Amino acid sequence: MTLADYMSVCLLDPDHGYYATRDPFGAAGDFITAPEISQMFGELIGLCLAQAWLDQGAPASFVLAEAGPGRGTLMADILRATKAVPGFHAAARVHLVEASATLRAAQATRVPGAVWLDRVDQLPALPLFLVANEFFDALPIRQFQRAGDAWRERVVGLKDGALTLGLTTPVPLAALAHHLSETRDGDIVETCPALPAIAGTIGARIATHGGAGLVIDYGDWTSLGDTFQAVQGHAVTDPLAAPGQADLTAHVDFAALAAAVAPARHTRLTPQGVFLERLGITPRAQTLATGLQGEALEAHVAAHRRLTDPALMGDHFKVMGIYPHGAAPPPGLNA
């Protein structure tokens, strides 16, 4: 089977899939996302979206949405931080795009009153202010290895009773022709079959109805090389070793994302640390540090560093904004 099929089964099978059977977040899970590291992350995202809403004339009814909302921590922080923005909560219709029943139950305790959807194309036709933090990296990918002017797909098969990777017969692929000028024999490129439709839907809603989107994920402008990985118990592991027991991800190809959101506009790709500093994370951290001491203060300082330090999440994660023609880009990002 293709890597995409393998990832889909491992992550989303209703009986044995990774996201369908567990809460993978936090110290007791397999990984920790930015909202779980510090409340500052969600607060700044919320104020960023609220300012974008104000910049676009504060529409009287809009969708405030998150794709892949985890435990609901990010949306809860967004809502808490924006309480003081006049009219924002009265106009907001909170929607969470989540396929996992297990995670929906966790989200319901933190974001009561939200509307849950399976797909982004089910979002209402209203101005859309959306955040997708570590959402696109979990979409299934396919991998192709260059062989001359043709490509061999990397597929998952069984050998001697164990899962292993193999290669198909080389065939020319028009969809990958643009990669020939930037690759050599043996190089691997990745594609994400679901990305164009999902990002295209988000872009079309924002271009047509207004709004703003924030995509925050690890990856770069282009995706070259093998980035398929598994994480279990906060450590990298063999992605074929324990199907359904580990988180499977790949780096996001932001160039493909930018192309897919047209006719909406997209911002320059910005490191997460730079984005958060532009939004004022350091003054916020200093305010929150008042009154803290001992281990609580050390943990707070460490959280700020983890989110912003270029050697940690600061450069590894990138941010791209999506916005309509005629509007300003979301705060913290440049056109």
Side-chain angles (χ1 to χ4, degrees), residues 33-43 77 288 300 303-304 307:
T33 60
E36 305 287 342
I37 292 171
S38 172
Q39 68 185 69
M40 296 183 292
F41 183 83
E43 290 172 349
D77 287 342
L288 289 174
H300 176 61
H304 173 269
L307 290 172

Side-chain angles (χ1 to χ4, degrees), residues 5 36 133 147 316:
D5 289 339
E36 305 287 342
N133 179 63
H316 188 52

